[in-house]
Structures are given as C-alpha cells and as structure tokens.
Amino acid sequence: MPLLEIFDPKAPPRPIGIDLGTTHSLVAYVRGGHPRVIADCDGELLLPSVVAYGPAGVLVGTKAKLQACDSPRDTIVSVKRYMGRGADDPETRRLGPYDFAARGEAQSNVVRFQVQGTTLVTPVEVSAEILRTLKRRAEDELRSVGGAVVTVPAYFDDAQRQATKDAARLAGLDVLRLLNEPTAAALAYGLEKRQNGTFAVYDLGGGTFDITVLVLDQGVFQVKATGGDSALGGDDMDRAIAQEIFEQLGPHTEPALVRRILDDARGIKHALTESEEVEREVLGRAVRITRPRFEALVAPLLGRTGAVCRRVLRDAGVRGADLDGVILVGGATRVPCVRAYVRELFEQEPRSDVDPDQVVALGAAIQADLLAGQGVRDDVLLLDVIPLSLGLEVGGGVVDKILPRNTTIPAAARAQYTTQEDRQTGFEIHVVQGEREMVRDARSLARFTLKGIPPMPAGLAKLEVTFRVDADGLLSVEAREQTTGIAQLVQVKPSYGLDDATVEKMLLEALDHGEEDLVERQLAQNRIEAHRILASTAKALEADRALLHAGEELCIANAMEALTKASKGNEPALMHARMDALDLVSKAFAERRMNRAIALAIEGRRVDEVASEVSS
C-alpha cells in the first residue's frame, strides 16, 4: 500500500458498485483498471446488513448486530427478504420477531416495522440506512462519489427491483443501473480470468438463491437463462440448526432468546465448515451437532436449488457436464455440502477462484466504471434477461404473452388488439406475469383503463400495446388506439412483490399443467369467436333478411343453434367444426350482402372515378 495518495480536487466523482446483501453488504470501485472493495476505518470489508433503532438514533452494521439479542424487535436483520413483500403475506411474520403495523395503520399492503414503540419504518427505509452507510464509507475513501450500480438477485420481480431502486435514491445515490447478481459475478470473474465459454453462476447468499447460465465471448456477456428463489439462503440453514437446538433444549418463544439461538446457529454453521463436530454452550446447556446431521438438515434446501438448476439448464439447452465452468457466489457456498452438491449436480468441480463474498461487488464496480465512461475497456457488453413472461389478459381470462421469459433486456415488444363489442368506448388493460395460460394462475402487476375511444362497430378500433423492459428489468406499458391516437403510458410499480415460492411455483405449474392449460385457452378463445360470429350473423339476418333464398334462413338458424350448444361445452374441436359449418351455410348470403354493398357504393359514379380511388 502506498504511504501517500495524492487527491486531485478536480478529479470527477468516482462511480461505485454496491452489493446490497441479505447478511452482509459491500461497496467497491475501480482503481488503476482493477476493482477493489472498500474497507471501513477498522479494515473490515463486509458490513453486516443489520439496522438497530434506539433512543440515541440509528445504528448500522457491527454495532447494530451487537444489539440484536438485547433489542430483537428494534433491530432489523436480513431486511432484503422483506423487500417488495406484502404485509398480509404469512411468510412476512415468520421471518423475524418483529412488531408490524396493522394493515389499517399502514394504509397499504407495504410491510412496516414498528420500532421503539411507535415509529414505523419500511424495508425500503431500512435498506436505505445500509446504503447510506456504504455511501459514507466510499466518500471517506474517495472524497467524492458519482453514480452507483446496485446489484439485485436475478429473480427479483418488478416490485422488489423498484423497492431496491427507491432505497438507493432515498440514500442519496444516483442509480446508474440495477444489475443482476450472477451477471455481476460473471463480469468480475470473466474479466479477471479472461476466459470464454458457457458458464453457470450458482449464487447462494444469505437470503436469496440464483442460478444463471451465460456465454462469455470476447467481452460479450450474454445470459441464456436464469432462475432462482428470492426466499432461500444461508438464513434458512441457520433456522434449520436453530430448530435442532430447540429440539435438544425445548421450545423457546422469547424474541431475545430466539435471536440469540439464531446467532449461535450461524456460528455453529461456520464452525462446521472446518470441523466434523461442534459442541457449544447454549443457554447454559451443551448442544452438540455433527456435520452429517447438519447436512441432513439442509438437504431439502439444497434439493430446492437443484430443481431450479435443472430447469434453467433445460431452458438454456445445455447439460451441466458440458459447461465450461460453474462459478460459486455467495457466502453460503463456503459450506462443504453445498460444494459437494453442486459438484454432483453439474458433474464437475465448481470454481471459487474469486472470493464468493466479494465477487458481486467487484462486478458491480466494473459495470459502474463502464457506464460512467471512466473505464479503460470499451469492449464489454452485458446482455441480461427477464426471469418471467410478461403479458396481458385477453378475452375469456386468457394470458397473451408479449415478452416471454429469458428475453434479452433491454427489450420491447408490441401486440395489437381490437374491440369485442359494438360501441365500446374503452379498453380495460390488465398486465400479468407468469408462465400459465390463464389469468387466474398468473401474477397481477397492474390494471388501467384507456378511455375516450369513439363508439365504433366491434373490430374497427385498433389498440396497440407496447411493453418495454429497461436495463434495470423494470417494466413500462403503453397503450395507444391507432385510429384516434389516444394513448396512456404506465410505469408498472406494484406496491409489494411475489411471495416466497410464487415464482418457482408458477414455472413448475406451467410444466405440470401445460397441456390442460392449452386446452382451456383454446376453449376460451373459441367461445369468444363463437360469440362474435353468432352476434354478427344475427345482426346480418335482421338487416338483410330480404336477401335470403328459400330454405336458407332455416339452415343458418340450425347452424347457429348447433354452434350455441357447442360453445357451452368443453370440446374446442367441436366448436371449431360448428363455426366452419355456420360459415359454409351462410357463405352465399354473405356474398350477396357484399355485392349489394358494393353496388350501392358505386351507384351513380363514373368508372374512372372509382378506379382512381381503388388504385390510390
């Protein structure tokens, strides 16, 4: 380390990268072309993601962690697991011994911790305290801080990403980009090792799990598929050990004792990384846990990561053994049985050449340097993806997917729709997320109405809906009626996010129910089409009954009755056949109506005048 660093007061502010973690958080920057993590005044690189609220103010980090046992209700740990979560989610209250504001007091479904008796704070505000501390740490080192890249789990949904961005802004940070953690890790690893190939990033942190398959090729980092669980990590291992301790000592419900036992459980987990057996005194009694017992306790958790990994490999179209490497990220990957599980799952030895605790922050710093235009490299390109399909509800409760999962971002896609009823003056637009075919099985993101459409016959209004997902993975939706130009733009910002297992459940159910979902989708679509055909046919009969030939009306009526009956059943093929039958018996009638309409349109006009209009 140099004895003296000269500070240039005219130097531009330094961009920084932040890993906002469940257990620990870090801040890094690039110096001399190489990223480095910034330490505090005591030389510590990792900041415990703990915030304590007390009479004297707010404490963050190690000092806050020391108060967790004495003031468990006023000390918020693992706040990342609450980001974007709904207050009425049962999992919310399971995660910690906190007092929460009642729904009525909160005025929304956002989680609010009640600390110091009456003070209410949201996960966004708690996270902002952590980010503010990291910003001060960076300012102590760099004097002036520029924009920041903040990392998020790849499987964070819109609400969780927006909550993270709000926390960063609340902390006074200029957010250059939200970057997926596995992509950040791959960026740091790829530029450090200068390797090309197809890699998997297995990221098991304190509270979240991600798996990403991506291709590194001459500075291009292209994500092929991603998956994960936003409520699975080292914290769950600690809870499994704590449950074992409770079984040995008997149940305890006092929050201070529960917090102390969770801290002891984490210490036992760390000790078992090096030892085959650990014996500790907990609440005055000896507790003994062996490594085989610990591995049995966490086996179900590892099994959950394995199910996600197999799906992502299938989405990417590769086998684990064919990958050029598996990169380990996150503190929980230091656990020996995690590494053994990954080795068996991917049929190769995983890599941890770059410190698993630091690699995400290092990658974020590199990306911040590149985005700020201060990097020495201009040949790096990140191509990330969206984790779940995005679409709209259409007639019959069907999901029309506009942006499928694993679409490279930033991305945009358009779809066109029309009205189903005569004189319809507006469109109800329902934005959903998920892999199933029906809206009831998807996640609702936003609803809005496009009003002011002039009343027109069904099918004449033309609605164009555009989905845009930015580089942060955040969605905006624009709806525009083409004939009038009436438009509305909505930034999709839910007030809370998906619950623990919803994302993975969506994908598994999409696989399990794929065939029956498609049948149900066909039924819904055919019923809508049958309704449209029946309505237009009835309208035509009423308007032009004089054009019918002898016996024709009876044939059409019989075909309409048959279609009406089929539309109430559950056979898409029969419905389709009945629509074809009605079309066949009414075809001659439809042609006579068309001929009459054309004759009326050209009556009394010159041939050259009509020809000129047609050619134009």
Side-chain angles (χ1 to χ4, degrees):
M1 180 180 290
L3 295 177
L4 177 65
E5 285 192 27
I6 299 174
F7 172 63
D8 181 1
K10 296 182 179 179
R14 289 284 189 90
I16 57 174
I18 292 177
D19 175 9
L20 181 61
T22 306
T23 308
H24 295 98
S25 297
L26 305 89
V27 59
Y29 75 106
V30 173
R31 185 177 69 181
H34 297 282
R36 61 187 292 258
V37 176
I38 301 174
D40 65 9
C41 57
D42 297 320
E44 294 294 331
L45 299 175
L46 304 180
L47 174 73
S49 299
V50 183
V51 179
Y53 295 85
V58 180
L59 298 176
V60 179
T62 303
K63 292 180 180 178
K65 189 176 178 181
L66 293 173
Q67 295 197 13
C69 291
D70 295 329
S71 304
R73 299 187 190 279
D74 299 325
T75 305
I76 313 300
V77 301
S78 300
V79 70
K80 185 174 178 177
R81 299 189 76 160
Y82 295 90
M83 294 289 273
R85 185 182 297 281
D88 55 6
D89 185 342
E91 183 74 2
T92 296
R93 299 179 183 278
R94 189 189 73 84
L95 290 174
Y98 306 117
D99 292 327
F100 297 95
R103 178 71 180 270
E105 295 171 300
Q107 299 301 316
S108 73
N109 200 30
V110 177
V111 173
R112 297 196 183 210
F113 304 102
Q114 189 167 306
V115 296
Q116 288 295 295
T118 58
T119 303
L120 299 180
V121 292
T122 66
V124 168
E125 294 170 298
V126 178
S127 296
E129 296 289 356
I130 299 170
L131 291 167
R132 199 173 285 118
T133 300
L134 292 172
K135 183 188 178 189
R136 284 198 294 267
R137 179 185 290 191
E139 288 170 339
D140 290 343
E141 172 94 2
L142 306 173
R143 306 296 194 277
S144 179
V145 170
V149 168
V150 183
T151 62
V152 292
Y155 232 47
F156 258 20
D157 69 3
D158 269 8
Q160 292 165 310
R161 289 172 187 272
Q162 190 64 59
T164 304
K165 199 166 189 176
D166 290 345
R169 288 171 173 165
L170 189 60
L173 291 166
D174 175 20
V175 182
L176 297 172
R177 178 73 51 82
L178 295 181
L179 182 62
N180 287 346
E181 290 166 3
T183 308
L187 179 60
Y189 184 92
L191 295 184
E192 174 74 19
K193 300 299 177 182
R194 301 184 185 279
Q195 280 188 276
N196 293 329
T198 302
F199 294 84
V201 180
Y202 182 99
D203 182 357
L204 187 62
T208 60
F209 168 68
D210 282 310
I211 174 69
T212 294
V213 173
L214 71 169
V215 176
L216 312 185
D217 184 15
Q218 302 299 327
V220 177
F221 294 73
Q222 182 175 11
V223 175
K224 306 300 289 184
T226 193
D229 190 326
S230 59
L232 174 64
D235 284 359
D236 299 284
M237 295 182 179
D238 300 341
R239 289 191 178 89
I241 296 174
Q243 186 60 41
E244 179 74 5
I245 294 173
F246 287 141
E247 290 184 7
Q248 293 188 31
L249 301 183
H252 290 276
T253 57
E254 174 59 37
L257 293 179
V258 171
R259 171 51 54 197
R260 186 168 288 116
I261 288 174
L262 282 170
D263 287 346
D264 288 333
R266 180 167 296 173
I268 291 170
K269 178 185 70 178
H270 293 163
L272 286 171
T273 300
E274 303 293 336
S275 306
E276 290 293 326
E277 179 180 315
V278 173
E279 185 170 318
R280 289 205 172 179
E281 184 177 299
V282 179
L283 303 181
R285 293 178 57 183
V287 171
R288 175 176 169 272
I289 295 179
T290 64
R291 184 183 286 180
R293 178 56 183 159
F294 166 67
E295 292 176 352
L297 291 172
V298 301
L301 302 176
L302 296 180
R304 286 167 59 186
T305 73
V308 179
C309 289
R310 285 186 286 273
R311 177 181 56 74
V312 169
L313 287 172
R314 184 170 58 250
D315 285 349
V318 296
R319 294 173 57 249
D322 296 335
L323 294 168
D324 295 295
V326 180
I327 303 167
L328 294 180
V329 179
T333 60
R334 297 181 186 278
V335 176
C337 65
V338 174
R339 300 192 174 207
Y341 184 83
V342 173
R343 186 186 308 117
E344 180 181 355
L345 181 66
F346 291 93
E347 302 179 58
Q348 60 176 282
E349 190 67 35
R351 306 181 183 189
S352 56
D353 312 44
V354 183
D355 189 319
D357 285 322
Q358 298 184 30
V359 67
V360 170
L362 297 174
I366 293 170
Q367 176 69 343
D369 204 49
L370 292 168
L371 291 175
Q374 297 184 20
V376 295
R377 301 183 63 110
D378 59 2
D379 59 346
V380 176
L381 176 64
L382 295 183
L383 300 173
D384 224 322
V385 299
I386 59 175
L388 282 171
S389 300
L390 295 162
L392 287 181
E393 177 181 359
V394 293
V398 170
V399 177
D400 186 29
K401 293 170 187 170
I402 296 178
L403 281 172
R405 79 172 189 268
N406 292 325
T407 297
T408 300
I409 58 173
R414 291 185 177 90
Q416 286 198 342
Y417 306 92
T418 188
T419 49
Q420 297 176 11
E421 304 289 343
D422 288 339
R423 306 185 63 80
Q424 189 173 322
T425 59
F427 289 93
E428 290 286 342
I429 297 170
H430 183 197
V431 183
V432 297
Q433 182 180 39
E435 304 308 317
R436 298 288 295 277
E437 298 295 332
M438 305 304 292
V439 168
R440 66 168 182 270
D441 302 313
R443 164 70 171 167
S444 175
L445 289 183
R447 292 177 183 269
F448 62 97
T449 302
L450 188 65
K451 298 179 180 179
I453 309 300
M456 291 181 272
L460 287 189
K462 302 297 181 185
L463 175 71
E464 183 178 82
V465 179
T466 303
F467 275 32
R468 291 187 179 87
V469 177
D470 64 18
D472 294 330
L474 298 175
L475 171 67
S476 63
V477 178
E478 181 183 25
R480 181 181 298 274
E481 203 287 308
Q482 299 289 75
T483 60
T484 62
I486 294 173
Q488 186 171 348
L489 176 66
V490 173
Q491 300 291 331
V492 177
K493 186 178 178 181
S495 60
Y496 58 95
L498 302 177
D499 56 21
D500 286 344
T502 297
V503 173
E504 186 60 23
K505 183 180 177 185
M506 283 178 177
L507 294 169
L508 292 176
E509 286 182 347
L511 293 174
D512 293 342
H513 302 285
E515 191 171 329
E516 62 190 71
D517 281 356
L518 286 175
V519 171
E520 190 167 0
R521 181 190 181 99
Q522 284 182 321
L523 277 170
Q525 290 177 327
N526 284 356
R527 285 191 183 113
I528 292 169
E529 183 64 7
H531 173 75
R532 185 191 66 78
I533 291 172
L534 288 166
S536 61
T537 304
K539 187 176 179 181
L541 288 173
E542 184 178 345
D544 294 311
R545 187 167 270 103
L547 295 178
L548 288 167
H549 288 180
E552 204 170 36
E553 184 171 6
L554 179 61
C555 290
I556 294 174
N558 289 339
M560 291 177 67
E561 183 180 352
L563 177 56
T564 302
K565 184 177 179 181
S567 68
K568 296 176 181 177
N570 295 313
E571 298 180 57
L574 179 61
M575 252 186 279
H576 200 277
R578 295 291 184 259
M579 283 189 276
D580 288 344
L582 178 56
D583 180 63
L584 183 62
V585 300
S586 61
K587 187 174 184 179
F589 173 55
E591 288 175 352
R592 289 193 293 275
R593 293 186 72 227
M594 180 64 71
N595 291 337
R596 188 179 117 174
I598 293 173
L600 289 173
I602 64 175
E603 187 177 6
R605 304 177 67 188
R606 296 195 310 272
V607 174
D608 59 339
E609 186 181 333
V610 175
S612 175
E613 286 186 9
V614 172
S615 63
S616 63

